[in-house]
Amino acid sequence: MKKKNNPWAIFWAVLAMLYFFVPMLGTFIFSLRMKRGVLSFLAYQSVLSDANFLRSFRYSATMGVVTVIVSVVLLLPSVYWIYIKAPKMKPVMEIISILPFVIPVIVLVFGLIRTFGRPPFQLTLSSFGTDVLIAAGYVIISMPYMYRAIDVGMRSMDVRTLTEAAQNLGSNWFQVLTLVILPNLRIAILSGALICFATVMGELILGDFLVRPALGSYMAGVGRSKAYEPAALAIISYGLTWLCLGLIQYFSRGRSQQQLTGR
Amino acid sequence: MAQLELIHISKSFNEMTAVQDFNLAVEAGEFISFLGPSGCGKTTTLRMVAGFEIPTSGVIQLDGMDLTPLPPNRRNMGMVFQSYALFPNMTAAQNVGYGLRVAGKPRVEIEQRVIEMLDLIQMHDFAERYPNQLSGGQQQRLALARALAIKPRVLLLDEPLSALDAKIRLELRQEIRRIQRQLGITTIYVTHDQEEALSLSDRIVIMRRGVIEQVGTPQQIYNFPASDFVAEFVGHINLLPVEVVQADAGVVRLGSQVVRAGQFGHLNGRPVRLAVRPEELKAGSVEGANNLTGMIESVTYLGAIVRIRVDVDGQLVSLDMFNERSLEIPVVGQPFHVNFPVEACWLTNGVKN
């Protein structure tokens, strides 16, 4: 590793950083120019004082939390079960888990509306029903991330032997999951949860087509009608995503002491 | 009455038979080893006792009660795994106390038992360490303490020393035996290491391809193997093709030299071989014993033992000599005389006795 840094490598790295950061910097500077001639945080003030922003932010954040909980409750036992009882199902599960990448969200949302908006379900008639539908949609969209995270976590420990050891000592399935498997997957689940949350916060199409006050839809609406606020919003949402990434980094590094394998 | 009984146990995975008609009665406090090459069904049998595999047929009884329908968490058996399987998120003390915690035992009782167990394995100073802060040997001792903390009726050990290096393995082997004697707990020990089985066990079960080849004390297994497989699998042995001279007296010919065997069964038409352990052979000629003459083919110096191979009329005969400082190591190519008592060898025709 003592080798001198290749100048070309540095060149490409700098180029990539410029490609990434220059537009961001531009957006940021632009967002500060709401007041003619001076740089100010007026656009941010305008955004943060908008009741609609707060409402949609709260809505999406709530949905993010719900999505994370439902995803974990749904995926953790499923992935665990596959590891323990049906390892042959793993390739099938892998394919299912990437389907949301392959099927456009627009197709998903129309499918959901057509299926569940009609009798006998008619979920779209009430706002709660629609929320259920949208949460289900979010769970599907974020499934690849959550599945990967849990899968990687399980791979890093000897799930089967740990399960057998716990059973041998008298635990039932619930105790095995909550006392042994879950604590050892904490970091994996946490990082999955943060990606899930970030995905939901930025999601546009589901909120738009199901007509719910999601943050994505709000941002798109503002983008159509205003000039400086969308730039401010973009920076805020970037910040949020980066915060999530930072938290993932923090937790997966800081606690690595306890993320041990059973081997 | 035996404490643990395995009665006509069989296990098949799809088409493959892993264990076939396994019968064994284990007395309370007994240390039993399952010994055999990999794939012989020893681990599968152990896992059936633990409840991780369900027998295709047969019954497992503990103190006369049928265990077969019970799930693993209700069998009260302590198991130690090859890979330790300690819970990485828990400290040493929490690992040991886990079984009592899920059983809903009061805190005071758990703490007391944990201290007792850590004392037993001499690891009280490591109570607050996490498994990754412990060495392999310490981890396995901890796993043993965890298995014993629930006061299991039977202790099951699945190749517990295989992942450790030689020196630790030896230490831990003695420790396992000490603890087992101290607690008087019925123990089943699965291993592919004959030395472990011979040194630890009250009785050894030799398995091959899912079938029991022989059950016996270490001495019975070693000195009176029930089959050629057992003879070859446990320790070293010379199995030399011979020609029968006098079937009813056990007289055979090895090349051109006559040998008398101490033990021989009915020698039907199959090819007969002479079996004798290398350590039974001595250098030189002795009147009344079997004497062979040959040429030294190779000499291997192993420290405590010097293994010599002698070419006797085209057959290679191994003999082990104990090392001494004054020992003159024989030279390859020299003529060499060996002798062994008549009772030390037997004739086998490959059919199980």
Side-chain angles (χ1 to χ4, degrees), chain B residues 13 69 75 115 119 178 209 213 250 254 268 270 290 343:
Chain B
F13 296 103
R75 292 195 178 198
I115 292 170
D119 278 346
R178 171 182 70 81
R209 295 188 197 144
E213 284 275 317
L254 175 64
N268 56 12
R270 301 170 62 115
N290 287 314
E343 319 78 65

Side-chain angles (χ1 to χ4, degrees), chain B residues 35-56:
Chain B
L35 177 64
S38 56
C40 72
K42 55 190 192 296
T43 295
T44 307
T45 310
L46 188 82
R47 290 173 59 80
M48 285 192 279
V49 176
F52 297 130
E53 307 286 353
I54 298 159
T56 313

Side-chain angles (χ1 to χ4, degrees), chain A residues 1-257:
Chain A
M1 292 304 281
K2 288 247 170 160
K3 222 176 95 183
K4 268 193 177 171
N5 285 324
N6 185 339
W8 279 107
I10 296 172
F11 171 77
W12 287 113
V14 169
L15 199 71
M17 300 237 297
L18 287 177
Y19 178 78
F20 187 75
F21 282 108
V22 167
M24 267 192 72
L25 188 68
T27 310
F28 181 60
I29 293 169
F30 183 71
S31 73
L32 301 176
R33 291 220 167 135
M34 196 167 170
K35 210 170 184 178
R36 194 167 295 244
V38 277
L39 295 179
S40 71
F41 283 98
L42 201 63
Y44 292 86
Q45 270 174 13
S46 156
V47 166
L48 292 175
S49 60
D50 183 354
N52 281 332
F53 169 77
L54 291 177
R55 196 164 70 100
S56 60
F57 187 87
R58 204 180 307 127
Y59 180 82
S60 280
T62 314
M63 278 300 150
V65 172
V66 170
T67 305
V68 165
I69 293 169
V70 174
S71 298
V72 172
V73 169
L74 220 56
L75 281 174
L76 179 64
S78 318
V79 178
Y80 176 63
W81 198 252
I82 286 170
Y83 264 82
I84 297 293
K85 296 278 178 183
K88 281 184 190 156
M89 287 294 289
K90 239 173 129 183
V92 179
M93 190 64 195
E94 303 238 323
I95 290 172
I96 292 175
S97 80
I98 54 164
L99 278 184
F101 282 157
V102 182
I103 298 168
V105 184
I106 190 86
V107 174
L108 171 71
V109 73
F110 275 117
L112 285 175
I113 292 170
R114 283 187 69 87
T115 311
F116 295 101
R118 293 174 172 182
F121 303 106
Q122 295 188 301
L123 287 179
T124 43
L125 287 187
S126 67
S127 57
F128 177 75
T130 317
D131 286 346
V132 170
L133 212 52
I134 201 169
Y138 286 146
V139 168
I140 288 173
I141 292 173
S142 58
M143 182 170 70
Y145 309 111
M146 196 48 122
Y147 172 77
R148 289 289 125 175
I150 294 178
D151 184 52
V152 166
M154 293 237 182
R155 218 173 280 202
S156 75
M157 59 183 193
D158 190 349
V159 183
R160 185 184 284 264
T161 315
L162 285 180
T163 302
E164 285 179 354
Q167 278 183 301
N168 178 257
L169 292 165
S171 3
N172 56 36
W173 284 109
F174 182 74
Q175 287 167 325
V176 175
L177 258 181
T178 52
L179 298 177
V180 175
I181 302 302
L182 194 63
N184 288 308
L185 282 179
R186 210 186 47 210
I187 288 148
I189 287 176
L190 199 70
S191 56
L194 288 167
I195 305 178
C196 250
F197 187 78
T199 309
V200 172
M201 291 306 275
E203 212 289 321
L204 167 67
I205 299 169
L206 276 173
D208 229 19
F209 281 83
L210 286 166
V211 206
R212 298 301 294 151
L215 190 62
S217 319
Y218 170 79
M219 291 201 309
V222 171
R224 281 192 278 269
S225 57
K226 292 180 179 170
Y228 296 97
E229 281 88 342
L233 266 173
I235 295 297
I236 291 174
S237 98
Y238 257 129
L240 205 69
T241 312
W242 282 42
L243 182 72
C244 286
L245 289 175
L247 286 175
I248 294 172
Q249 284 291 316
Y250 172 77
F251 281 110
S252 52
R253 250 187 225 161
R255 308 284 178 85
S256 63
Q257 272 271 299

Side-chain angles (χ1 to χ4, degrees), chain B residues 261-334:
Chain B
Q263 184 196 341
F264 52 92
H266 174 64
L267 304 172
N268 56 12
R270 301 170 62 115
V272 173
R273 292 192 292 175
L274 174 77
V276 60
R277 300 265 183 211
E279 69 270 19
E280 302 267 17
L281 278 69
K282 307 279 184 298
S285 309
V286 169
E287 193 130 339
N290 287 314
N291 290 292
L292 296 172
T293 308
M295 193 101 86
I296 294 185
E297 194 262 348
S298 69
V299 177
T300 314
Y301 187 73
L302 298 166
I305 281 172
V306 183
R307 180 154 298 158
I308 298 162
R309 293 213 292 177
V310 184
D311 185 333
V312 177
D313 296 346
Q315 303 284 348
L316 288 179
V317 180
S318 286
L319 106 116
D320 285 353
M321 290 166 77
F322 274 113
N323 181 49
E324 289 167 32
R325 287 178 113 175
S326 58
L327 183 77
E328 268 185 55
I329 298 198
V331 179
V332 173
Q334 274 185 346

Side-chain angles (χ1 to χ4, degrees), chain B residues 42 80 85 174 187 204 323 344:
Chain B
K42 55 190 192 296
V80 176
Q174 283 156 354
T187 303
I204 299 174
N323 181 49

Side-chain angles (χ1 to χ4, degrees), chain A residues 88 158 160-162 164-173 175-176 179-180 183-184 257-258 260-263, chain B residues 47 52 72-73 77-79 81 83-90 98-99 101-102 130 132-133 146-147 150:
Chain A
K88 281 184 190 156
D158 190 349
R160 185 184 284 264
T161 315
L162 285 180
E164 285 179 354
Q167 278 183 301
N168 178 257
L169 292 165
S171 3
N172 56 36
W173 284 109
Q175 287 167 325
V176 175
L179 298 177
V180 175
N184 288 308
Q257 272 271 299
Q258 287 173 39
L260 319 159
T261 62
R263 284 161 229 247
Chain B
R47 290 173 59 80
F52 297 130
N73 57 337
M77 305 234 171
M79 182 137 168
F81 299 83
S83 60
Y84 324 138
L86 292 169
F87 305 129
N89 56 313
M90 299 178 202
Y98 179 85
R101 183 176 151 208
V102 293
Y130 283 93
N132 75 324
Q133 298 165 321
R146 182 180 67 177
I150 55 170

